[in-house]
Amino acid sequence: MKELLRTNNFVYLSFAQAVLKDAGVEALIFDSHMSVMEGSLGVLPRRLMVADDDLARAKHILAEAEPKEPDWA
């Protein structure tokens, strides 16, 4: 397994996992139970992991799913 991302942002983590699932890429969240060690403060980041062979594809899928910057000018 390879680390795709590491974040404390639970909303983004959920978004990334859902996008990958829709694309058929299995992703697992590691360190989600570390809150026991940190006192439920949410300071330790969670890791989104994918299979070694899926890493490049997962990076591409996630990059394509990112919201684009608005063109206000």
Side-chain angles (χ1 to χ4, degrees):
M1 306 264 342
K2 297 283 185 181
E3 180 179 313
L4 178 62
L5 65 95
R6 181 183 303 229
T7 184
N8 289 352
N9 185 333
F10 302 119
V11 174
Y12 184 70
L13 192 61
S14 177
F15 164 78
Q17 190 175 28
V19 165
L20 292 172
K21 182 178 179 181
D22 285 347
V25 176
E26 184 177 357
L28 300 174
I29 298 175
F30 282 20
D31 306 323
S32 60
H33 298 291
M34 290 301 292
S35 62
V36 172
M37 300 298 292
E38 68 182 45
S40 298
L41 298 174
V43 296
L44 295 176
R46 277 49 171 182
R47 296 176 291 158
L48 189 64
M49 309 292 285
V50 296
D52 295 359
D53 295 341
D54 290 335
L55 183 61
R57 182 171 170 242
K59 285 181 180 181
H60 177 74
I61 291 166
L62 198 53
E64 289 295 313
E66 289 286 327
K68 306 300 182 238
E69 289 290 324
D71 185 20
W72 300 108

